[in-house]
C-alpha cells in the first residue's frame, strides 16, 4: 500500500493577510503556518510522498517549507513536491481544484499503480490534529469510493459551507449540498478526502474532459447524485478550526487560549512540527503583566498583554497595553501604545503612544512591515 | 566515500563525567545537561563552530552517551548533516593492536581518532571541551594562530590573581608567545588562565600524540602532557586572549549562576546577541507557552511549550514545564519537562529534567543577595512528594 498526500495551498480569503502569501503560509498559533498542521498530520501518519498545489504567491510558502527536514520529509520525486504553475501547465483562468489535479497528473502517476494505492487530500484553511491512518483505515473498511472527513457543530445556519452532508439516524446520507448555508444538523466537510489513486485519476480525466473542474460540486456531489460514487462519511471528533474568513481566523486564534482546544490541536495525536527559528526563550521583564496569553519564543516583554497571541520575537515596551490581539513575528510595540482587537502582520512597528482599537467582528489589520 | 580536504576541523571532548554536577550527571554526560531554557551545554561549542565556519566536528563521547548521542543525532540542528559538513560521534572502540579501549585521557581520545582527522587532511585542528558556556569566533583564533606561524595556540582569559592557582596558567612574553605553562601554580606569575581551547597544526599534534602514546608514564592529557612537551621541544606556542563571557559550568553553583546571568534587561551573558552568533539547539516541537490570567512572571526566561499558572521570579523555565496555580518559583533553574504542582514553593534550586514537585512541597530557601547560597537539586525524574520539604543544599 502506498499513500500520497495532496495539500491545496491557495484559495485565499483573508484580504490583506493573504495579499502576499498563500492560505498555507498564513501564520497561526504563535509559531506555525497553517500548512504545518497538514504536513504534520500526513508526515506523522507515515505519508512521505506529498504534493503541495500552489498557484501563486508561493514564495513565502517555499521559504517556510525549505528542505522539509523539520517534518521528516525530503524534497524531490517520491518525497515532497511543489506543484506550482511552472510545473503544471498554466491556464489563464482558474476553474477549480480538479484542474490543478489534472495538471498535476505527473505527480499522481508516481510509482506503480496498485489497487491499494490511496490519495489523501487536504485544504490549508482547515486546521486539526488528525490521525490520518485512522481515516485511511476507515476508508478501506468502508469499501466506498470517496471518504469525506466531516465535523459536526460547524454548520449553524449562518456560515456557508463548501460541502455539507446530512445523515439520517442510521448514518445513511440523505443530502449532499455545495456552497450551502446549512442548518445545524448538517456535517461540514473539512475539505479532507481519501480516495483510491486509480479511482481519483480516472474520475479527474473523465470530469475534466467534460469541462467539470469543481472538486466538491463535480467530483463529490455530482458523482454521488448520479450514482457513480459511493461516499463514506468520517466524523472527526477532535478540534477542527475553519479559518475561512478574517473573523474566523481571529476568533480561532483566540480560541487557543482555551486549554482543551490548545491541547487537542497541539498534542491531540502527535506533535505539530514547524520551521525551527532558533530564537532564545522569551524574556519577561520586571514590569510586565502577561495574562491569558499564548507566547512564542524570542519575545521581550516589559508591558502588558491580555487575552492575546504573541508570535516569535515580539517586543512589548513598558507601558504598552495589548488586549485581544494577534501579534505576528518581530512586532515592536512602543511605550504606552494601546492595542485592542488588532491583528499585526509580521514585522510591524507601533509607535510609542499609538492607539489602535478594533472590534471582535472587525479587527484592525496592519499590513506586514508597516509602521503605525 | 568522498572526504573534502578541510583547512580546519574541530574535535570536541564530550566524554567527561562531570562528577561535580552530582545528581544532574548521574544518567547524563555533562555536555548534554540542559542550560538556559532550551539549550544543552554542547550547543555552545557546536554553534560556535558553525558560526566560525567550521563544518566538520568530531565529538568524543564516553560517559553515559545515550542521551548525548540522541541529541547530536545526525547534526541537523546545527546544519552539520550536509554532503560536506559533519557532526561525527566518536565513541571509544576496540582496535586491532589493542592500543585502545576506554579513552585514557583527553590526548588519548584524540590519538584514538587520528584516522578520522586524517580523512580531512586539515592544516589545523581546534580542540574544544563540552563544559563551557560562551560565544567565541574560533575563526579569529585560527587566523591569529596562522598569522603568528605557531604550532599551537591556547585561548586564555584573565582571571583574578586570587583565583589563578585554580587554573592552568600560561606565562607569556610581550609578543604573546608562551614560555612557561604551570598547572594550578601555588604562586602564579600571571593571570592568563587556559580555557582548554587549543588550535594545533595537525602535523605537529599528530606526531606529539603518537610520541605521547609511546610514553608509558604519561597520563595522555593535553594540559599535563602534550602542552608541556611541545613547549619543551621548542615549538612556538601563542596565547590568544579572549575577553568575552565565559563560564565553566562544572559545578552546581556555577551552573546555577550561569543560568542567572542570562537574566536582566542587560544580562551579563546576552544570549539574544546578534544573528551571526546564534546558538542552535535540537528543537522540541512544542507549541508556544501559555501564560494564565493569574500567572505572574518577572525577570525570567520562559521557553516553549510551558504552561504557567503560578508566580515566577528571577528564574529560567525550560521547555515543556508546568507551573501550577499558586506555586512560587524564585531564583531557580527549572529544566525541561518539570511539573510543579499548585501551592509548591521552589527557591534557589535546580530542578532536573522531568522531575516533579508535588502540591504544597517546599524546595530550597531564601537568601539575601550577598549570602552564600545553598542550591537544592532534584535529579532527572525525581519526585518531591506532597507537603514535604527538600532543604536548602539538599539533593534527591
Amino acid at each position: 500500500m502506498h499513500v500520497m498526500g495532496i495539500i491545496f495551498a491557495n484559495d485565499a480569503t483573508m484580504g490583506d493577510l493573504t495579499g502576499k502569501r498563500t492560505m498555507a503560509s498564513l501564520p497561526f498559533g504563535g509559531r506555525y503556518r497553517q500548512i504545518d498542521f497538514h504536513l504534520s498530520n500526513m508526515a506523522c501518519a507515515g505519508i512521505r510522498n506529498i504534493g503541495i498545489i500552489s498557484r501563486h504567491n508561493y514564495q513565502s510558502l517555499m521559504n517556510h517549507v525549505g528542505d522539509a527536514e523539520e517534518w521528516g520529509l525530503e524534497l524531490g520525486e517520491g518525497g515532497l513536491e511543489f506543484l506550482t504553475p511552472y510545473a503544471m501547465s498554466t491556464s489563464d483562468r482558474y476553474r477549480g481544484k480538479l484542474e490543478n489535479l489534472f495538471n498535476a497528473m505527473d505527480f499522481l502517476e508516481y510509482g506503480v499503480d496498485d489497487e491499494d494505492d490511496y490519495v489523501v487530500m487536504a485544504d490549508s484553511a482547515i486546521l486539526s490534529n488528525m490521525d490520518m491512518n485512522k481515516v485511511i483505515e476507515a476508508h478501506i473498511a468502508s469499501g466506498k469510493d470517496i471518504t469525506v472527513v466531516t465535523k459536526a457543530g460547524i454548520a449553524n445556519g449562518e456560515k456557508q459551507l463548501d460541502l455539507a452532508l446530512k445523515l439520517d439516524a442510521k448514518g445513511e446520507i440523505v443530502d449532499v449540498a455545495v456552497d450551502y448555508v446549512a442548518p445545524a444538523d448538517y456535517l461540514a466537510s473539512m475539505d479532507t478526502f481519501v480516495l483510491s489513486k486509480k479511482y481519483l485519476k480516472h474520475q479527474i480525466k473523465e470530469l475534466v474532459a467534460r469541462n467539470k473542474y469543481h472538486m466538491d460540486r463535480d467530483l463529490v456531489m455530482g458523482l454521488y447524485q448520479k450514482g457513480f460514487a459511493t461516499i463514506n462519511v468520517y466524523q472527526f471528533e477532535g478540534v477542527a478550526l475553519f479559518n475561512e474568513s478574517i473573523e474566523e481566523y481571529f476568533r480561532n486564534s483566540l480560541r487557543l487560549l482555551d486549554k482543551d482546544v490548545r491541547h487537542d490541536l497541539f498534542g491531540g495525536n502527535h506533535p505539530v512540527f514547524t520551521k525551527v527559528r532558533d530564537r532564545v526563550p522569551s524574556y519577561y521583564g520586571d514590569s510586565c503583566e502577561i495574562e491569558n496569553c499564548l507566547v512564542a519564543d524570542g519575545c521581550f516583554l516589559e508591558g502588558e498583554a491580555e487575552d492575546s497571541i504573541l508570535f516569535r520575537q515580539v517586543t512589548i515596551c513598558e507601558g504598552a497595553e495589548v488586549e485581544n490581539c494577534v501579534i505576528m513575528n518581530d512586532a515592536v510595540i512602543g511605550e504606552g501604545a494601546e492595542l485592542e482587537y488588532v491583528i499585526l502582520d509580521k514585522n510591524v512597528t507601533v509607535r510609542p503612544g499609538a492607539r489602535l482599537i478594533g472590534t471582535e467582528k472587525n479587527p484592525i489589520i496592519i499590513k506586514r512591515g508597516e509602521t503605525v | 566515500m568522498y572526504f573534502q580536504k578541510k583547512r580546519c576541523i574541530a574535535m570536541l571532548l564530550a566524554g567527561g563525567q562531570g562528577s561535580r554536577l552530582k545528581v544532574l550527571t548521574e544518567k547524563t554526560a555533562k555536555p548534554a545537561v540542559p542550560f538556559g531554557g532550551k539549550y544543552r551545554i554542547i550547543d555552545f561549542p557546536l554553534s560556535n563552530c558553525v558560526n566560525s565556519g567550521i563544518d566538520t566536528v568530531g565529538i568524543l563521547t564516553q560517559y553515559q552517551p545515550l542521551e548525548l548521542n540522541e541529541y547530536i543525532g545526525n547534526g541537523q540542528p546545527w546544519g552539520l548533516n550536509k554532503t560536506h559538513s559533519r557532526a561525527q560521534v566518536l565513541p571509544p572502540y576496540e582496535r586491532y593492536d589493542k592500543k585502545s579501549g576506554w579513552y585514557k585521557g583527553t590526548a588519548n581520545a584524540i590519538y584514538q581518532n587520528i584516522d578520522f582527522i586524517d580523512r580531512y587532511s586539515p592544516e589545523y585542528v581546534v580542540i574544544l571541551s563540552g563544559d563551557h558556556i560562551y560565544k567565541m569566533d574560533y575563526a579569529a583564533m585560527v587566523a591569529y594562530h596562522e598569522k603568528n606561524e605557531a604550532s599551537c595556540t591556547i585561548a586564555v582569559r584573565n582571571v583574578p590573581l586570587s583565583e589563578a592557582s585554580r587554573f592552568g596558567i600560561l606565562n607569556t612574553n610581550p609578543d604573546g608567545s608562551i614560555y612557561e605553562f604551570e598547572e594550578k601554580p601555588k604562586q602564579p606569575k600571571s593571570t592568563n588562565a587556559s580555557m582548554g581551547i587549543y588550535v594545533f597544526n595537525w602535523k605537529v599534534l599528530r606526531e606529539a600524540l603518537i610520541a605521547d602514546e609511546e610514553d608509558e608514564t604519561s597520563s595522555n592529557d593535553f594540559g599535563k602532557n602534550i602542552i608541556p612537551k611541545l613547549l619543551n621541544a621548542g615549538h612556538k606556542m601563542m596565547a590568544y586572549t579572549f575577553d568575552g563571557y565565559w563560564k565553566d559550568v562544572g559545578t552546581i553553583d556555577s551552573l546555577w549562576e550561569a543560568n542567572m546571568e542570562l537574566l536582566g534587561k542587560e544580562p551579563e551573558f546576552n544570549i539574544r546577541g546578534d544573528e551571526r552568533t546564534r546558538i542552535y539547539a535540537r528543537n522540541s516541537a512544542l507549541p508556544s507557552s501559555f501564560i494564565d490570567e493569574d500567572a505572574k512572571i518577572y525577570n525570567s526566561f520562559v521557553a516553549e511549550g510551558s504552561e504557567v499558572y503560578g508566580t515566577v521570579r528571577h528564574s529560567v523555565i525550560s521547555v515543556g514545564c508546568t507551573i501550577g496555580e499558586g506555586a512560587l518559583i524564585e531564583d531557580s533553574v527549572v529544566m525541561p519537562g518539570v511539573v510543579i504542582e499548585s501551592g509548591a514553593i521552589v527557591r534557589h534550586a535546580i530542578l532536573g529534567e522531568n522531575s516533579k514537585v508535588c502540591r504544597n512541597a517546599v524546595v530550597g530557601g531564601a537568601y539575601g543577595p550577598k549570602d552564600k547560597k545553598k542550591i537544592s537539586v532534584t535529579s532527572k525524574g525525581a519526585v518531591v512528594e506532597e507537603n514535604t520539604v527538600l532543604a536548602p543544599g539538599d539533593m534527591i
Side-chain angles (χ1 to χ4, degrees):
Chain A
M1 186 173 94
H2 178 255
V3 181
M4 58 171 50
I6 288 184
I7 302 169
F8 291 94
N10 278 111
D11 290 333
T13 51
M14 297 280 192
D16 283 345
L17 292 179
T18 48
K20 285 185 181 161
R21 57 166 79 94
T22 60
M23 285 293 271
S25 47
L26 180 65
F28 185 80
R31 57 202 308 270
Y32 303 98
R33 305 291 186 124
Q34 302 220 113
I35 199 170
D36 292 340
F37 294 87
H38 309 92
L39 285 175
S40 300
N41 284 347
M42 289 185 182
C44 291
I47 301 172
R48 296 285 173 269
N49 189 194
I50 299 172
I52 300 175
I53 291 183
S54 180
R55 290 181 294 119
H56 47 72
N57 276 346
Y58 45 79
Q59 194 201 336
S60 70
L61 179 60
M62 294 183 92
N63 281 346
H64 177 69
V65 173
D67 56 9
E69 216 162 31
E70 271 99 352
W71 298 269
L73 299 167
E74 278 175 42
L75 283 189
E77 204 180 24
L80 185 94
E81 290 188 54
F82 282 94
L83 307 171
T84 57
Y86 220 67
M88 308 190 293
S89 67
T90 49
S91 78
D92 293 343
R93 199 168 57 85
Y94 175 62
R95 289 172 290 195
K97 286 181 177 174
L98 295 183
E99 179 169 50
N100 294 143
L101 290 172
F102 185 75
N103 289 334
M105 203 53 91
D106 276 354
F107 174 76
L108 289 170
E109 298 286 359
Y110 177 79
V112 284
D113 229 348
D114 285 334
E115 289 298 330
D116 62 346
D117 285 352
Y118 297 94
V119 180
V120 176
M121 291 189 281
D123 190 283
S124 41
I126 299 165
L127 311 184
S128 66
N129 188 322
M130 189 184 291
D131 184 345
M132 285 289 186
N133 280 327
K134 268 194 191 167
V135 185
I136 295 162
E137 279 163 28
H139 174 76
I140 295 168
S142 76
K144 302 272 173 69
D145 295 321
I146 305 172
T147 289
V148 182
V149 179
T150 62
K151 181 69 193 165
I154 301 294
N156 57 6
E158 284 173 30
K159 179 180 165 58
Q160 177 170 308
L161 303 176
D162 291 344
L163 176 65
L165 299 101
K166 188 177 174 180
L167 306 182
D168 64 15
K170 281 182 274 176
E172 300 291 331
I173 297 174
V174 294
D175 190 24
V176 178
V178 166
D179 293 342
Y180 178 48
V181 180
D185 57 349
Y186 276 69
L187 298 169
S189 160
M190 289 174 64
D191 281 347
T192 297
F193 306 98
V194 183
L195 307 89
S196 88
K197 192 164 121 185
K198 251 192 168 149
Y199 179 83
L200 178 66
K201 275 163 54 182
H202 173 73
Q203 293 300 353
I204 292 166
K205 288 173 190 163
E206 292 291 317
L207 289 165
V208 169
R210 287 163 186 80
N211 220 14
K212 293 193 184 300
Y213 297 103
H214 197 288
M215 177 113 90
D216 292 331
R217 183 183 305 281
D218 300 324
L219 182 82
V220 182
M221 186 176 75
L223 294 181
Y224 171 76
Q225 285 175 344
K226 290 189 189 121
F228 292 163
T230 52
I231 294 178
N232 170 46
V233 176
Y234 182 93
Q235 294 199 48
F236 180 61
E237 300 293 337
V239 168
L241 301 181
F242 284 60
N243 288 341
E244 296 180 306
S245 66
I246 290 171
E247 192 189 337
E248 284 181 322
Y249 169 84
F250 186 65
R251 192 171 60 229
N252 286 335
S253 291
L254 298 186
R255 276 184 71 194
L256 296 173
L257 298 172
D258 180 311
K259 190 174 187 171
D260 295 337
V261 172
R262 188 170 70 239
H263 286 194
D264 185 294
L265 193 69
F266 295 141
N269 180 55
H270 52 249
V272 184
F273 296 95
T274 187
K275 189 177 186 72
V276 174
R277 295 285 183 187
D278 290 293
R279 303 294 181 208
V280 297
S282 284
Y283 177 71
Y284 297 72
D286 270 330
S287 56
C288 81
E289 277 181 44
I290 309 297
E291 295 178 4
N292 197 34
C293 286
L294 201 58
V295 183
D297 37 339
C299 293
F300 195 82
L301 308 173
E302 296 189 291
E304 295 177 25
E306 201 179 334
D307 306 328
S308 295
I309 310 293
L310 308 181
F311 282 65
R312 285 168 167 155
Q313 205 116 321
V314 166
T315 302
I316 301 182
C317 297
E318 225 172 310
E321 290 177 33
V322 173
E323 205 180 326
N324 284 302
C325 289
V326 174
I327 311 290
M328 292 190 197
N329 298 4
D330 302 302
V332 178
I333 300 170
E335 281 180 28
E338 200 182 327
L339 274 62
E340 215 175 309
Y341 295 108
V342 174
I343 301 175
L344 294 190
D345 204 329
K346 286 170 68 173
N347 238 328
V348 167
T349 303
V350 178
R351 289 201 180 93
R355 201 163 172 273
L356 298 169
I357 312 289
T359 66
E360 196 173 351
K361 290 247 172 215
N362 280 306
I364 292 175
I365 298 175
I366 306 298
K367 278 197 254 184
R368 184 175 175 168
E370 288 196 346
T371 298
V372 287
Chain B
M1 273 178 89
Y2 169 68
F3 296 94
Q4 201 175 39
K5 178 178 159 52
K6 301 282 178 186
R7 178 169 162 270
C8 180
I9 72 169
M11 298 294 276
L12 207 166
L13 298 159
Q17 179 183 353
S19 54
R20 289 173 303 156
L21 285 177
K22 299 178 181 166
V23 295
L24 292 175
T25 49
E26 260 172 12
K27 291 174 190 158
T28 304
K30 179 157 69 170
V33 167
F35 181 82
K38 63 182 290 190
Y39 307 98
R40 294 187 185 252
I41 295 170
I42 197 170
D43 288 329
F44 291 81
L46 270 183
S47 302
N48 286 341
C49 281
V50 174
N51 293 332
S52 307
I54 297 172
D55 62 7
T56 303
V57 186
I59 301 161
L60 300 120
T61 62
Q62 176 153 297
Y63 174 80
Q64 290 283 350
L66 173 67
E67 209 176 336
L68 183 58
N69 291 350
E70 283 170 349
Y71 186 73
I72 296 162
N74 65 350
Q76 184 264 335
W78 307 273
L80 293 172
N81 61 332
K82 307 288 190 267
T83 308
H84 300 299
S85 66
R86 178 161 309 182
Q88 174 81 51
V89 173
L90 301 166
Y93 60 97
E94 190 179 11
R95 218 165 101 143
Y96 74 98
D97 59 4
K98 304 293 172 202
K99 273 188 179 173
S100 62
W102 297 114
Y103 293 147
K104 291 179 284 176
T106 50
N108 174 256
I110 305 294
Y111 169 80
Q112 291 201 37
N113 291 289
I114 284 177
D115 288 349
F116 170 79
I117 302 173
D118 278 346
R119 274 169 156 62
Y120 300 95
S121 354
E123 307 293 321
Y124 309 112
V125 174
V126 182
I127 308 288
L128 303 167
S129 65
D131 31 15
H132 302 140
I133 300 296
Y134 64 116
K135 286 181 173 185
M136 181 172 172
D137 181 7
Y138 303 140
M141 182 173 169
V142 172
Y144 176 84
H145 173 83
E146 194 170 33
K147 195 183 90 191
N148 284 291
E149 297 175 343
S151 294
C152 170
T153 298
I154 303 174
V156 297
R157 56 191 288 273
N158 251 311
V159 293
L161 189 63
S162 59
E163 287 179 27
S165 53
R166 286 174 40 217
F167 294 92
I169 295 296
L170 298 164
N171 300 320
T172 55
N173 299 310
D175 67 351
S177 61
I178 301 164
Y179 67 87
E180 189 181 25
F181 174 78
E182 293 180 287
E183 183 70 22
K184 298 182 181 161
K186 288 213 175 69
Q187 240 103 55
K189 292 183 197 127
S190 83
T191 54
N192 284 331
S194 166
M195 295 163 63
I197 299 167
Y198 312 106
V199 178
F200 286 100
N201 286 0
W202 175 229
K203 256 192 207 151
V204 173
L205 177 62
R206 195 178 188 283
E207 277 169 26
L209 289 172
I210 291 168
D212 186 63
E213 190 64 21
E214 299 292 313
D215 177 359
E216 289 190 357
T217 62
S218 173
S219 49
N220 306 120
D221 183 87
F222 274 99
K224 289 193 196 110
N225 309 107
I226 300 289
I227 302 298
K229 279 181 186 173
L230 287 178
L231 203 54
N232 289 338
H235 280 281
K236 184 170 186 191
M237 301 176 75
M238 298 296 295
Y240 175 79
T241 307
F242 176 74
D243 52 14
Y245 180 90
W246 181 87
K247 190 105 180 175
D248 182 337
V249 287
T251 64
I252 295 287
D253 287 345
S254 63
L255 180 66
W256 178 84
E257 272 169 28
N259 273 282
M260 294 301 122
E261 282 163 4
L262 298 171
L263 301 175
K265 196 168 177 180
E266 280 157 17
E268 255 177 87
F269 182 38
N270 190 354
I271 199 174
R272 305 176 73 83
D274 71 84
E275 296 283 309
R276 288 163 303 172
T277 61
R278 190 180 290 180
I279 304 300
Y280 301 90
R282 186 166 284 283
N283 188 263
S284 46
L286 291 168
S288 299
S289 283
F290 174 71
I291 313 301
D292 186 66
E293 58 185 343
D294 294 326
K296 292 189 167 46
I297 309 178
Y298 306 109
N299 192 19
S300 295
F301 261 177
V302 180
E304 301 103 275
S306 287
E307 306 232 324
V308 181
Y309 299 89
T311 299
V312 177
R313 274 198 203 100
H314 195 242
S315 294
V316 173
I317 310 294
S318 304
V319 293
C321 294
T322 305
I323 314 291
E325 279 165 51
L328 171 67
I329 318 299
E330 275 181 351
D331 306 300
S332 293
V333 180
V334 179
M335 288 185 174
V338 167
V339 175
I340 297 166
E341 293 188 344
S342 61
I345 297 173
V346 177
R347 288 183 173 118
H348 293 95
I350 299 178
L351 303 181
E353 275 176 272
N354 300 318
S355 61
K356 189 171 176 185
V357 180
C358 297
R359 288 169 64 90
N360 303 324
V362 177
V363 174
Y367 297 95
K370 295 266 167 71
D371 297 350
K372 166 88 184 117
K373 297 159 185 88
K374 287 185 183 168
I375 306 300
S376 309
V377 185
T378 60
S379 61
K380 185 182 281 190
V383 178
V384 182
E385 300 290 351
E386 209 171 305
N387 298 313
T388 62
V389 173
L390 182 65
D394 279 6
M395 295 183 194
I396 57 161

